[in-house]
């Protein structure tokens, strides 16, 4: 087992009757491969030549007022990512993600919780390049208009995140959130294609772009290829996916965490 993976993260324990122990819970391994710039454009042409996919606007929440040095992202640096997503029609969502997450920070309440009403909780190992971290994600579905109202300041940000999400952050995050003082950064324009077949792999492709760069500047774009699999056999899947992409002449150049930081840095430099 790789040293960077916490003991118990890759296998589910059991009690004396052989039932799975929720305290050793791990729902999946998510394998992520990220391309940026010209590499993202080339990978998109090779893997998703059609123009389909679900279009959405993604916003990030950060505590820029707490920064004490250039480039500092207080929430991200503490392993907390807050996102808002506005899709087509009435579809929207708020996401609270701890990544990297220390399993010791998750109480039994959250290790036992899966889904209720608009809220769903997922615990996964995220593999990106050589980096493997545990991520705990609580998503709450909401109306797209509520997301847009929070993004423009017309609605208090904390009302978009559910009561359960606020409780989760109070219990498990390493930093106090303080929704009233957060900045909403974005949007990032994203196109997501689910269920894309690449040989015997079924992956999700998400293409991010940031508009408004100076004329002549290189476009800011990223393509993330991800595959969610069961923990057992994930190593074989990871190696197979890497070989498949390499066989197509595609070389990933970024880790997922670096992508998020670069997006936040660019948005912060623009003032949101």
């Amino acid at each position: 087992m790789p040293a960077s993976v916490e003991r118990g993260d890759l296998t589910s324990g059991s009690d004396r009757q052989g039932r799975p122990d929720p305290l050793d819970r791990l729902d999946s391994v998510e394998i992520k491969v990220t391309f940026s710039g010209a590499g993202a454009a080339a990978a998109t042409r090779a893997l998703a030549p059609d123009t389909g996919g679900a279009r959405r606007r993604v916003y990030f929440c950060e505590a820029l007022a707490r920064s004490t040095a250039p480039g500092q992202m207080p929430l991200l640096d503490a392993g907390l990512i807050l996102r808002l997503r506005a899709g087509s029609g009435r579809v929207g969502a708020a996401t609270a993600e701890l990544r990297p997450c220390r399993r010791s920070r998750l109480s039994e309440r959250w290790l036992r919780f899966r889904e209720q009403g608009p809220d769903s909780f997922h615990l996964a190992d995220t593999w990106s390049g050589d980096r493997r971290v545990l991520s705990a994600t609580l998503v709450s579905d909401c109306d797209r208009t509520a997301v847009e109202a929070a993004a423009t300041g017309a609605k208090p940000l904390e009302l978009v995140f559910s009561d359960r999400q606020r409780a989760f952050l109070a219990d498990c995050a390493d930093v106090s959130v303080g929704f009233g003082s957060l900045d909403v950064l974005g949007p990032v324009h994203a196109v997501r294609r689910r269920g894309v077949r690449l040989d015997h792999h079924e992956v999700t492709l998400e293409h991010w772009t940031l508009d408004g760069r100076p004329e002549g500047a290189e476009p800011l774009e990223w393509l993330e290829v991800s595959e969610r699999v069961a923990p057992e056999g994930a190593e074989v899947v990871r190696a197979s996916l890497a070989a498949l992409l390499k066989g197509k002449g595609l070389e990933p150049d970024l880790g997922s965490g670096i992508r998020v930081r670069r997006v936040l840095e660019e948005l912060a430099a623009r003032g949101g």
Side-chain angles (χ1 to χ4, degrees):
M1 180 181 298
S4 59
V5 179
E6 184 176 346
R7 180 177 175 82
D9 282 354
L10 291 183
T11 58
S12 296
S14 59
D15 61 19
R16 292 180 180 179
Q17 286 73 44
R19 296 186 297 255
D21 184 348
L23 301 185
D24 285 338
R25 169 184 175 182
L26 184 68
D27 299 326
S28 67
V29 169
E30 188 168 19
I31 301 163
K32 294 187 175 185
V33 179
T34 308
F35 304 86
S36 67
T44 300
R45 289 192 299 270
L47 304 177
D50 64 274
T51 57
R55 297 183 180 275
R56 57 190 67 192
R57 293 178 300 282
V58 181
Y59 300 87
F60 291 87
C61 308
E62 250 302 343
L64 297 181
R66 302 181 207 171
S67 301
T68 58
Q72 188 179 56
M73 301 290 166
L75 298 189
L76 183 65
D77 293 339
L80 174 58
I81 303 172
L82 299 180
R83 293 189 302 275
L84 300 174
R85 185 180 74 240
S88 59
R90 298 177 59 85
V91 178
T95 299
E97 180 179 4
L98 303 181
R99 186 179 71 196
C101 172
R102 289 179 289 115
R103 186 177 287 271
S104 59
R105 289 291 289 166
L106 301 176
S107 65
E108 184 172 349
R109 171 189 179 183
W110 300 109
L111 289 170
R112 290 186 180 278
F113 179 76
R114 292 188 181 274
E115 184 173 358
Q116 185 175 346
D119 299 321
S120 58
F121 181 73
H122 196 84
L123 191 65
D125 265 326
T126 301
W127 295 4
S128 181
D130 294 331
R131 190 167 186 253
R132 303 182 179 189
V133 299
L134 186 67
S135 63
T137 307
L138 184 56
V139 179
S140 184
D141 294 330
C142 60
D143 194 285
R144 176 186 62 82
T145 56
V147 170
E148 298 290 9
T152 60
K155 180 176 183 176
L157 181 60
E158 65 183 73
L159 297 183
V160 184
F161 288 87
S162 69
D163 292 343
R164 190 173 281 112
Q165 284 178 311
R166 294 195 294 274
F168 169 64
L169 293 171
D171 289 348
C172 305
D174 285 335
V175 63
S176 174
V177 175
F179 283 99
S181 62
L182 297 185
D183 301 278
V184 181
L185 306 176
V188 178
H189 298 281
V191 178
R192 175 178 285 185
R193 300 170 176 87
R194 294 183 181 273
V196 177
R197 297 296 304 184
L198 301 178
D199 197 4
H200 57 279
H201 295 269
E202 185 171 310
V203 303
T204 295
L205 305 177
E206 188 161 28
H207 185 236
W208 286 15
T209 55
L210 271 175
D211 296 333
R213 298 219 77 198
E215 186 175 352
E218 181 181 347
L220 284 176
E221 60 180 314
W222 297 265
L223 179 72
E224 180 178 86
V225 182
S226 63
E227 185 171 9
R228 194 180 292 273
V229 298
E232 298 77 11
E235 276 283 8
V236 174
V237 176
R238 185 202 64 79
S240 174
L241 180 60
L244 186 152
L245 295 173
K246 186 174 181 180
K248 292 179 177 293
L250 302 174
E251 292 288 346
D253 62 340
L254 284 181
S256 176
I258 297 175
R259 177 195 60 165
V260 172
R261 178 169 292 277
R262 289 190 179 176
V263 168
L264 288 176
E265 288 174 347
E266 178 69 21
L267 292 172
R270 299 179 182 188

